[in-house]
């Protein structure tokens, strides 16, 4: 195009920007975009899409804000860019601005913004968007929007609403069925997931590889080891679906939770495909959970030597050493982390109230209501002492005194979030919390007691699954 002087043609140069964008070459796309003598809405949207798809959301936003003319496609690209790269709050704020500027959303907008709600568990916002969709002339609850609604409600803790949407979707394809099966799985309702799969088979709808990820995950959360083995074999023998790393990951999770760590390790070693860091992390976590120190060390050292270790690998190895009081081992791992610039992901819990998401870190003092939150925590501690509850300080994997360990447990991010929920809502109101890591055993035990003391239902979505705390018990049956 340069040789024949076609690169100055707007249509050709826009197509070239798109070519570089699709190939992931942001630098070449930028250079070409900068030399374009004129730009159309299409060429601007092409560059915007390039930034958004490649995770350059800050650059995308600068370009978006500078655009004099914006159509619904531009708004969709920016909202979806935020949603796809973990900036769900920004996606929701931009969606509200879109409505304020009287731009009519379409089905693509709905799918992107529902995905954002699901990521942060923003049920109130999700319900409002659902209501908006039902009253919109421009958006139909088709298979794509229906699937997005099912995913949103499942991730936000309302399986009842997810099932209502599922039942209303016409001409359901395998993706819709998969969404509902995965929804049941993440809440630990393994038998409901298996029952839905049986219904799917009755209408002769062929399952996909995602179906089996949902089923194996459901078996793992419900402790259905034999059923999980059967599904793993069925997908290969009856449906000729070759297991992917995700299926092996589910099987490792299933076996590890059931304490069969050696069998899980053998499965990984016999795999025909390369195990990923998530799979190794699951196995390493099982070694810590079941006290298999020798195997845990062996796996961690292999990952570090092969440059396959991530922050989770180092943290798990450090925790394995700490659990047996090997503080020299802990110090060695932490030194290694510092040398390699590896940082531990901080625990973060969020709660949505009045369409606003409030986030907390451990020991957080940033919230405007911090004083009231910590007063509520003191009241909770009083309830726990009266019940005779003893804090599980053995899970604090630091070489500090007993009192310091207790103080550390008292200000975990999920406890701050639940305290905020208790002071900010009416008695009897359900509280829903989202945490980015696995809930710790002490917080899990305390939440059961809080649900008993207050008569409230508390829902928590952690990294692994949902927990429904009601009247002193949890839906997971203490199996997570």
């Amino acid at each position: 195009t340069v040789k024949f002087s076609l690169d100055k043609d707007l249509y050709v140069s826009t197509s070239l920007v798109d070519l570089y964008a699709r190939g992931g070459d942001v630098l070449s796309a930028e250079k070409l975009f900068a030399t374009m003598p004129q730009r159309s809405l299409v060429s601007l949207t092409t560059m915007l899409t390039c930034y958004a798809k490649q995770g350059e959301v800050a650059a995308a936003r600068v370009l978006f804000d500078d655009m004099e003319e914006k159509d619904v496609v531009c708004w969709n690209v920016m909202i979806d860019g935020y949603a796809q790269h973990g900036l769900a709050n920004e996606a929701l704020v931009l969606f509200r601005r879109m409505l304020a500027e009287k731009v009519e959303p379409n089905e693509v907008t709905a799918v992107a913004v529902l995905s954002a709600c699901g990521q942060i568990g923003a049920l109130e916002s999700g319900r409002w968007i659902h209501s908006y969709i039902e009253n919109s002339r421009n958006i139909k609850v088709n298979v794509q929007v229906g699937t997005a609604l099912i995913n949103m409600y499942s991730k936000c803790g309302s399986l009842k609403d997810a099932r209502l949407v599922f039942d209303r979707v016409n001409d359901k394809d395998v993706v819709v069925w998969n969404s509902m099966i995965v929804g049941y799985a993440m809440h630990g309702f393994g038998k409901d997931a298996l029952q839905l799969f049986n219904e799917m088979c009755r209408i002769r709808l062929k399952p996909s590889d995602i179906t089996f990820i949902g089923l194996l995950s459901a078996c793992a959360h419900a402790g259905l080891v034999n059923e999980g083995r059967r599904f793993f074999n069925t997908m290969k023998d009856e449906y000729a679906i070759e297991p992917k790393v995700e299926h092996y990951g589910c099987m490792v999770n299933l076996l590890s939770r059931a304490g069969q760590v050696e069998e899980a390790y053998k499965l990984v070693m016999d795999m025909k495909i390369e195990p990923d860091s998530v799979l190794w992390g699951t196995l390493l976590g099982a070694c810590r959970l079941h006290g298999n120190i020798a195997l845990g060390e062996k796996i961690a050292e292999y990952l570090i030597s092969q440059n396959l270790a991530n922050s989770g690998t180092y943290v798990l190895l450090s925790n394995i050493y700490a659990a047996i009081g090997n503080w020299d081992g802990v110090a060695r791992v932490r030194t290694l982390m510092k040398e390699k610039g590896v940082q531990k992901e901080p625990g973060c819990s969020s709660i949505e109230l009045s369409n606003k998401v409030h986030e907390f870190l451990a020991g957080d003092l940033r919230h405007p209501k911090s004083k009231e939150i910590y007063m509520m925590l003191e009241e909770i501690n009083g309830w726990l002492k009266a019940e005779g509850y003893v804090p599980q300080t053995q899970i604090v994997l630091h070489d500090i005194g007993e009192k310091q360990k207790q103080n550390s447990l008292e200000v975990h991010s999920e406890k701050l979030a639940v305290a905020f929920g208790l002071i900010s809502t009416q008695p009897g109101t359900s509280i829903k919390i989202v945490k980015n890591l696995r809930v710790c055993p002490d917080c899990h035990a305390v939440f059961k007691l809080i649900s008993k003391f207050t008569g409230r239902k508390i829902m928590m979505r952690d990294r692994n699954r949902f927990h429904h705390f009601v009247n002193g018990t949890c839906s997971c049956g203490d199996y997570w």
Side-chain angles (χ1 to χ4, degrees):
T1 60
V2 173
K3 183 178 178 180
F4 291 102
S5 300
L6 295 171
D7 57 315
K8 300 294 182 282
D9 180 89
L10 180 61
Y11 183 83
V12 174
S13 55
T14 301
S15 298
L16 281 168
V17 171
D18 186 51
L19 167 75
Y20 286 125
R22 288 172 189 268
D25 188 351
V26 180
L27 197 60
S28 294
E30 268 182 334
K31 283 182 179 177
L32 184 59
F33 183 72
T35 63
M36 289 173 69
Q38 62 185 76
R39 295 167 184 167
S40 65
L41 180 60
V42 175
S43 58
L44 286 162
T45 306
T46 302
M47 193 64 224
L48 184 69
T49 305
C50 173
Y51 282 136
K53 292 279 186 197
Q54 298 301 320
E56 305 268 359
V57 284
R61 186 59 189 262
V62 170
L63 182 60
F64 177 82
D65 288 340
D66 286 344
M67 290 170 70
E68 292 177 12
E69 180 191 357
K70 299 184 189 82
D71 62 4
V72 67
V73 177
C74 303
W75 287 90
N76 288 347
V77 168
M78 198 64 239
I79 291 169
D80 188 56
Y82 278 137
Q84 292 297 324
H85 293 93
L87 297 166
N89 279 319
E90 287 83 346
L92 293 176
V93 169
L94 195 60
F95 173 67
R96 293 187 191 107
R97 188 179 136 193
M98 178 185 186
L99 296 178
E101 294 192 15
K102 303 286 188 273
V103 180
E104 187 84 13
N106 59 19
E107 283 151 14
V108 176
T109 326
V111 171
V113 80
L114 287 169
S115 168
C117 290
Q119 285 177 37
I120 54 173
L123 181 60
E124 291 174 39
S125 298
R127 281 208 173 111
W128 186 88
I129 292 161
H130 188 183
S131 175
Y132 179 90
I133 289 167
E134 291 191 328
N135 292 299
S136 170
R137 293 169 299 170
N138 205 33
I139 307 173
K140 298 284 179 280
V141 182
N142 56 17
V143 166
Q144 287 77 26
V145 175
T147 302
L149 282 165
I150 293 165
N151 287 335
M152 181 276 291
Y153 278 126
S154 296
K155 289 178 179 177
C156 290
S158 184
L159 269 185
K160 183 181 175 184
D161 286 313
R163 185 62 198 242
L164 284 171
V165 173
F166 174 80
D167 289 338
R168 288 176 188 164
V169 175
N170 296 318
D171 303 318
K172 290 188 267 286
D173 64 5
V174 69
V175 179
V176 178
W177 285 84
N178 288 347
S179 297
M180 197 65 240
I181 288 171
V182 169
Y184 279 131
M186 73 171 74
H187 284 264
F189 299 153
K191 290 182 180 173
D192 294 277
L194 271 55
Q195 185 181 338
L196 203 61
F197 175 69
N198 291 334
E199 287 177 36
M200 185 177 160
C201 292
R202 270 201 300 275
I203 63 167
R204 300 188 183 282
L205 189 62
K206 189 179 177 184
S208 68
D209 61 325
I210 304 295
T211 314
F212 285 99
I213 290 174
L215 290 168
L216 292 170
S217 178
C219 291
H221 289 315
L224 304 172
V225 179
N226 292 331
E227 289 86 343
R229 284 198 188 101
R230 180 166 57 81
F231 282 125
F232 190 69
N233 293 326
T234 298
M235 66 179 286
K236 294 183 288 182
D237 301 339
E238 288 186 31
Y239 295 100
I241 297 173
E242 197 58 39
K244 295 181 178 176
V245 71
E246 293 86 356
H247 299 102
Y248 281 105
C250 289
M251 279 304 294
V252 167
N253 195 19
L254 171 69
L255 295 167
S256 298
R257 283 173 189 273
Q260 298 174 25
V261 183
E262 294 291 346
E263 185 183 343
Y265 179 64
K266 185 178 184 306
L267 182 69
V268 173
M269 298 312 291
D270 292 343
M271 280 170 58
K272 295 176 184 175
I273 51 179
E274 197 68 33
D276 65 2
S277 59
V278 176
L279 199 154
W280 282 118
T282 303
L283 196 53
L284 201 53
C287 291
R288 185 212 155 185
L289 192 64
H290 296 287
N292 196 329
I293 310 302
L295 183 58
E297 281 185 309
K298 183 178 175 181
I299 292 168
E301 284 165 10
Y302 167 76
L303 294 176
I304 292 167
S305 68
Q306 298 297 310
N307 288 322
L308 297 171
N310 56 22
S311 62
T313 308
Y314 291 100
V315 171
L316 282 167
L317 181 58
S318 174
N319 291 348
I320 286 170
Y321 286 137
I324 58 170
N326 182 353
W327 302 113
D328 289 338
V330 172
R332 195 167 63 250
V333 173
R334 287 183 181 164
T335 301
L336 203 56
M337 288 174 74
K338 197 175 283 186
E339 286 172 0
K340 291 183 177 287
V342 177
Q343 291 191 331
K344 180 184 175 183
E345 182 182 4
C348 175
S349 298
S350 62
I351 179 171
E352 183 198 24
L353 289 175
S354 304
N355 290 317
K356 184 180 178 185
V357 176
H358 302 259
E359 290 185 339
F360 297 91
L361 301 174
D364 222 331
L365 294 167
R366 297 170 302 165
H367 198 276
K369 289 195 173 180
S370 274
K371 187 178 177 183
E372 295 95 318
I373 289 168
Y374 279 86
M375 284 171 66
M376 186 71 239
L377 281 178
E378 283 297 316
E379 193 174 334
I380 290 169
N381 289 336
W383 301 341
L384 296 172
K385 282 173 186 169
E387 188 74 10
Y389 179 73
V390 179
Q392 299 182 32
T393 52
Q394 74 277 8
I395 67 166
V396 181
L397 303 174
H398 297 283
D399 192 11
I400 54 178
E402 192 69 15
K403 185 60 182 171
Q404 288 172 291
K405 288 183 178 183
Q406 287 187 23
N407 294 341
S408 167
L409 288 173
E410 286 171 6
V411 294
H412 276 191
S413 64
E414 55 266 60
K415 284 178 183 150
L416 296 175
V418 82
F420 175 66
L422 289 170
I423 64 171
S424 307
T425 56
Q426 292 297 316
T429 310
S430 294
I431 295 173
K432 186 168 62 60
I433 293 163
V434 176
K435 186 174 183 187
N436 64 332
L437 304 176
R438 182 181 184 270
V439 61
C440 85
D442 184 73
C443 288
H444 191 271
V446 168
F447 274 37
K448 286 196 292 183
L449 290 170
I450 293 173
S451 73
K452 180 183 171 183
F453 299 142
T454 62
R456 295 193 190 217
K457 179 179 181 179
I458 303 171
M459 275 184 292
M460 174 185 280
R461 187 183 96 198
D462 72 2
R463 177 171 276 180
N464 294 333
R465 58 167 296 155
F466 266 92
H467 299 265
H468 298 250
F469 301 93
V470 181
N471 197 29
T473 63
C474 179
S475 59
C476 74
D478 298 337
Y479 184 85
W480 87 102

